[in-house]
Amino acid sequence: MSDADVIIAGGGLVGASLALALGGTGRRVAVVEPLAPSAEAQPSFDDRQTALAPTSRRFLEALGLWEALQDEAGPITEIHVSDRGGFGFTRLTAAAEGLPALGHVVPNRALGAVLGPALAEAEHVSLYCPAEVAGVRRLRDRVEVSLSGEGAPATMSAPLLVVADGMRSATREAIGVGLRERPYGQTAIIANLRTEYPLRGRAFERFTPDGPLAVLPLADDAASLVWTLPGEQADAVAALPEPEFLARLQQAFGWRLGRLQAVGERHCYPLTAVIAERFSAERAAIIGNAAHALHPVAGQGLNLALRDVAALAELIAEPGDPGDAERLARFERERRGDYRRTFVFTDGLVRLFSNRWPPLALLRNVGLTALDLVPPARRFLLQQATGRAGRLPRLSRGLPLAREAP
């Protein structure tokens, strides 16, 4: 007999979300995580901010977590998109689309503060932390993993192993699934800002010759900055004294928010497009950053990962063997389609706005202006940006899982 129905390698934001999603299904879940949510080195719950699409908010509502997060969530009610040096711009508003918000910006640490206690109390969920998967052996009807870590059993088995331990996943490598990478040659500078004029729900996406620059509203009237620059340039700019850094940023962003008054601690993250060779293998599913990583230009990374979680939870909740080959093939097909749509959208934006060829720049600015004048085109863009393209799993629609496992 197996020790669990599902073993999740990785208890960060994605792995913990899956465990909580399965809490009411009757499935026995084991989560293996080397770092506690409060640990300084925990990458899922660091000082970054995450832009949650409406589908992700509904997912968290379905899990009963949103109420504890909403006071720290800054709503995005308007997105202003512009091309530096060009005449084109467009505004996307929640009111025009009949939505309460186009998204919410939430601190990663706030997500950790909610997910950690919920995971510790979840029904049918066992958390092994600090512990990690040291080896994987796949048998006909189950996966056997060897564990290392204080308080963890030496081995554990389950019909399904879920790989959710990040981009450099040792577990993914252990099951023989490789990774394809394409560096963008860009680095994102992440920091919090204080501006002369409060954002009041407005988000700004400004495309510059060096890369996209986003300013997002936070719940306390501060702003979150994501400034993309060529790698070496980004490191040098991030290290500037605060007045010089703010002057460079002011030149790149402009004066729509008045004078940029203060900036917090700056962190640099090199950007690489990543995709696993497969999203499933025999008795295994791969989700989150272990499966894919995107350019942050449209804030799609975590939203795509939570749709991974919602889709996989829906399949696991069905009666029968959670690691069945046909079930995993369905997961692979569905997630591959969602990934392709999302990657084409985000990568296409980077390529389109990085090309400074004058005829293309003119067409780009005409296109931005046309978005303001052509509602169907604007709604198509918003469908991609808010995660509503394609079939949505039940949890991403705010609905409970339809069935319970026997």
Side-chain angles (χ1 to χ4, degrees):
M1 179 178 174
S2 298
D3 301 295
D5 296 307
V6 182
I7 297 172
I8 303 173
L13 203 157
V14 174
S17 296
L18 177 61
L20 292 173
L22 296 173
T25 65
R27 296 291 195 188
R28 296 168 299 145
V29 179
V31 179
V32 182
E33 168 57 39
L35 296 170
S38 58
E40 288 296 322
Q42 172 56 266
S44 284
F45 307 122
D46 59 18
D47 290 325
R48 284 174 285 183
Q49 313 283 338
T50 291
L52 296 176
T55 53
S56 296
R57 174 183 56 79
R58 287 193 286 269
F59 172 89
L60 293 167
E61 286 175 342
L63 267 55
L65 302 175
W66 182 249
E67 186 176 354
L69 284 167
Q70 59 185 356
D71 287 345
E72 296 202 57
I76 299 173
T77 55
E78 178 183 319
I79 302 174
H80 186 283
V81 184
S82 61
D83 188 18
R84 184 184 170 202
F87 60 86
F89 74 93
T90 192
R91 290 187 313 132
L92 310 172
T93 68
E97 307 307 320
L99 296 170
L102 298 173
H104 289 80
V105 183
V106 179
N108 282 11
R109 291 205 178 275
L111 289 165
V114 170
L115 285 169
L119 188 62
E121 298 173 4
E123 189 178 8
H124 304 303
V125 175
S126 300
L127 174 62
Y128 299 96
C129 178
E132 55 188 313
V133 174
V136 179
R137 187 165 70 104
R138 282 178 286 186
L139 307 175
R140 182 184 61 81
D141 60 346
R142 66 190 187 281
V143 176
E144 185 177 272
V145 300
S146 54
L147 304 177
S148 63
E150 191 175 328
T155 62
M156 181 181 295
S157 67
L160 177 65
L161 171 65
V162 178
V163 181
D165 52 353
M167 188 188 302
R168 302 302 168 196
S169 169
T171 311
R172 184 193 58 233
E173 292 180 6
I175 63 173
V177 177
L179 195 68
R180 296 197 298 272
E181 302 184 47
R182 194 190 77 204
Y184 279 104
Q186 297 177 328
T187 291
I189 302 174
I190 310 293
N192 288 348
L193 281 175
R194 285 285 176 186
T195 59
E196 182 179 359
Y197 307 137
L199 276 76
R200 294 196 176 94
R202 292 175 297 164
F204 294 86
E205 186 81 55
R206 185 150 171 77
F207 292 94
T208 79
D210 294 320
L213 190 167
V215 178
L216 307 173
L218 301 181
D220 61 355
D221 278 339
S224 174
L225 169 70
V226 183
W227 188 7
T228 305
L229 293 169
E232 291 184 5
Q233 182 182 341
D235 293 335
V237 169
L240 289 172
E242 183 177 17
E244 294 176 39
F245 179 88
L246 289 172
R248 289 284 293 271
L249 179 59
Q250 189 92 62
Q251 182 182 25
F253 178 73
W255 294 84
R256 290 186 180 89
L257 294 172
R259 183 171 297 279
L260 305 179
Q261 297 176 329
V263 63
E265 187 176 357
R266 289 152 258 170
H267 301 272
C268 291
Y269 297 92
L271 301 179
T272 300
V274 168
I275 182 170
E277 292 173 346
R278 291 171 286 157
F279 294 166
S280 65
E282 184 183 358
R283 297 262 161 214
I286 306 168
I287 62 175
N289 277 357
H292 43 66
L294 304 169
H295 195 287
V297 62
Q300 295 297 302
L302 178 62
N303 297 300
L304 179 64
L306 291 183
R307 295 199 296 275
D308 288 348
V309 171
L312 184 58
E314 194 169 302
L315 290 174
I316 293 172
E318 294 177 1
D321 180 355
D324 173 71
E326 187 276 332
R327 196 177 304 212
L328 289 172
R330 279 192 285 148
F331 172 78
E332 174 83 33
R333 286 193 301 271
E334 179 175 330
R335 300 317 304 146
R336 185 70 61 173
D338 192 1
Y339 165 79
R340 285 188 185 123
R341 283 190 299 271
T342 309
F343 176 78
V344 167
F345 173 57
T346 58
D347 193 67
L349 285 176
V350 175
R351 290 175 177 274
L352 175 64
F353 284 93
S354 296
N355 193 316
R356 311 314 293 181
W357 186 47
L360 182 59
L362 175 62
L363 287 173
R364 188 170 60 226
N365 280 272
V366 170
L368 279 174
T369 303
L371 282 175
D372 252 4
L373 305 174
V374 184
R378 189 172 64 245
R379 291 196 181 100
F380 175 78
L381 176 64
L382 272 173
Q383 275 192 327
Q384 301 296 321
T386 57
R388 292 179 291 161
R391 188 195 85 84
L392 284 177
R394 291 181 62 84
L395 290 173
S396 298
R397 289 178 278 149
L399 302 174
L401 295 176
R403 309 176 192 172
E404 292 190 353

